[in-house]
Amino acid sequence: MNKFISGLSKSFKVITIGKSVRNESIKSITFGNGPTRILMWSQMHGNESTTTKAVIDLLNYLQHETVNALEIAKECTLKIIPILNPDGARDYTRVNAKGIDLNRDAQELTQPESRILKKEYDSFHPDFCFNLHDQRTIFNVGKTNKPATVSFLAPAFDVERNNSPSRKLSMQLIAAMNSKLKELIPGQVGRYDDGFNANCVGDAFQMRETPTILFEAGHYHEDYEREKTREFIFHALLKGINTIILNEIENYTIEQYLAIPENGKQFVDILIKNPMDTNEVLKSTSSVQYKEVLKDGKIVFSPTKHIFETTPLEIFGHKILNLEVKEDIEWLENNKILKLLD
């Protein structure tokens, strides 16, 4: 990432805005000099890197000086923090080097990374904030068997989850981005839970009347590296920016946002059917979920037996196998999963 940033053209202003717990540089990239200010940050959680890759795609797009890129530079100022939590990124952990979830530190600001983001917010005075994250493979759209490949949220600003002017703008902008994604991944966009937590950055910025959008990059069929998902996040980012600079937000409605189905939690990575065990559907399946582990500098998907906190009425699998099928048993054995079923 540092190598990529150093290779950006002179159209981008790159500065170090602070240091992490382990004294690693945290950088911001500024593009354009227009009146509308958009602040976005990625990898607040170190193991959520899909949106960082989408940010790279956006920066590459802006470097080409197309008519659209020049219009963006004229009409808005983008400030991007591509990796807010570099220590967590190196360790591939959600938390920072002190074991703190930065997205629960918006009020106390105990961590240097939290204070850096708050300082940038205060000095930049953004008109919009894009809060970029990844979500787990467990999420489906509504009650369907489609994965939530992208999810959005207009964060609440109070416990009652009322609508303020800034939250309404967040909803309308999400509706705009969803209009693009519906063309690319119909039925695979979800709405994230909007329970209020003042310690979350999105909620905190919404409390300060800044329209804030939570992006959640999720699973696409057989895309565990999330190379397809990064593409969809890029399209959402570009649609969001263009909607803002073209003053088209009012073309979209709160009702369109609310029509996006809420996320369910009905997916597992591997669903194993065992018809010989029992005729009761839920008892005749085993669920396996991958745990992402950093090993020798690479991410390894380690299978673990999954136990639901609350078992849904129906379980979906990104991969479905049957213990009555010889090839499926062999696959499970070769991937060291069969032993998990004992």
Side-chain angles (χ1 to χ4, degrees):
M1 189 67 190
N2 287 333
K3 183 178 180 181
F4 171 80
I5 291 174
S6 66
L8 288 170
S9 71
K10 293 181 180 179
S11 299
F12 301 85
K13 181 182 178 182
V14 180
I15 62 172
T16 297
I17 55 176
K19 300 282 188 177
S20 68
V21 171
R22 293 183 188 149
N23 206 38
E24 182 140 14
S25 294
I26 298 173
K27 298 178 180 180
S28 73
I29 304 165
T30 303
F31 175 81
N33 54 12
T36 302
R37 298 175 299 278
I38 303 173
L39 174 65
M40 64 178 77
W41 61 95
S42 184
Q43 269 181 283
M44 166 176 277
H45 295 143
N47 60 351
E48 298 179 3
S49 58
T50 306
T51 52
T52 305
K53 294 188 286 187
V55 163
I56 290 174
D57 298 334
L58 176 64
L59 294 170
N60 272 325
Y61 175 84
L62 296 173
Q63 279 200 107
H64 285 90
E65 297 187 349
T66 61
V67 173
N68 185 216
L70 293 173
E71 186 72 9
I72 290 171
K74 177 185 174 183
E75 296 296 331
C76 75
T77 303
L78 298 176
K79 174 164 276 196
I80 302 170
I81 305 171
I83 302 180
L84 182 64
N85 180 7
D87 299 338
R90 290 202 184 278
D91 295 343
Y92 204 71
T93 58
R94 178 182 174 91
V95 296
N96 76 343
K98 288 191 175 179
I100 301 299
D101 184 338
L102 301 180
N103 204 27
R104 300 296 183 270
D105 193 36
Q107 299 301 329
E108 294 186 5
L109 301 173
T110 64
Q111 302 305 300
E113 299 91 347
S114 305
R115 294 190 290 272
I116 288 166
L117 179 59
K118 177 63 162 49
K119 180 189 71 174
E120 293 302 306
Y121 173 87
D122 288 339
S123 62
F124 187 57
H125 302 294
D127 297 295
F128 294 89
C129 287
F130 291 178
N131 184 9
L132 306 174
H133 289 264
D134 277 42
Q135 67 180 11
R136 292 173 292 166
T137 59
I138 64 172
F139 293 105
N140 62 300
V141 175
K143 295 182 180 180
T144 72
N145 64 349
K146 291 194 174 184
T149 301
V150 177
S151 294
F152 292 109
L153 172 66
F157 72 96
D158 63 4
V159 175
E160 290 78 19
R161 295 179 279 189
N162 292 310
N163 285 345
S164 62
S166 69
R167 192 178 190 212
K168 289 178 180 178
L169 283 173
S170 302
M171 292 176 175
Q172 290 173 277
L173 189 56
I174 290 170
M177 292 187 285
N178 184 47
S179 72
K180 175 63 178 180
L181 292 180
K182 283 197 296 187
E183 301 172 6
L184 303 172
I185 44 172
Q188 291 179 232
V189 178
R191 183 157 51 92
Y192 208 75
D193 174 69
D194 67 347
F196 174 71
N197 185 342
N199 296 312
C200 294
V201 173
D203 304 55
F205 288 172
Q206 200 81 274
M207 289 167 67
R208 296 184 64 175
E209 301 181 356
T210 303
T212 302
I213 291 93
L214 175 72
F215 291 68
E216 294 280 355
H219 187 70
Y220 184 78
H221 182 60
E222 295 185 348
D223 181 38
Y224 279 92
E225 299 298 328
R226 298 199 169 177
E227 291 301 303
K228 289 294 294 182
T229 300
R230 73 184 283 184
E231 176 186 341
F232 304 132
I233 295 293
F234 161 76
H235 285 294
L237 289 170
L238 191 59
K239 178 65 175 180
I241 293 167
N242 280 324
T243 300
I244 291 168
I245 68 170
L246 295 173
N247 294 314
E248 293 179 345
I249 292 182
E250 293 305 318
N251 294 349
Y252 302 91
T253 66
I254 296 169
E255 289 73 25
Q256 288 172 323
Y257 167 78
L258 294 174
I260 300 172
E262 292 186 0
N263 282 344
K265 296 181 180 179
Q266 294 175 249
F267 259 110
V268 293
D269 290 314
I270 304 172
L271 182 64
I272 304 164
K273 295 187 175 182
N274 183 8
M276 298 176 291
D277 182 36
T278 175
N279 290 325
E280 295 181 51
V281 176
L282 291 180
K283 291 183 180 179
S284 66
T285 61
S286 296
S287 301
V288 173
Q289 201 72 10
Y290 288 124
K291 182 178 181 181
E292 297 179 39
V293 180
L294 185 64
K295 186 176 181 181
D296 299 327
K298 294 184 178 181
I299 303 304
V300 176
F301 292 90
S302 177
T304 58
K305 195 166 184 178
H306 182 68
I307 306 297
F308 285 95
E309 292 180 9
T310 303
T311 303
L313 293 177
E314 189 173 7
I315 301 172
F316 307 124
H318 294 300
K319 188 177 186 68
I320 300 175
L321 300 168
N322 193 319
L323 291 181
E324 286 188 330
V325 178
K326 180 181 178 182
E327 292 79 5
D328 288 0
I329 294 175
E330 289 176 351
W331 188 93
L332 289 166
E333 192 166 17
N334 291 337
N335 287 274
K336 301 179 180 179
I337 296 174
L338 200 58
K339 63 182 179 180
L340 297 176
L341 309 182
D342 294 339

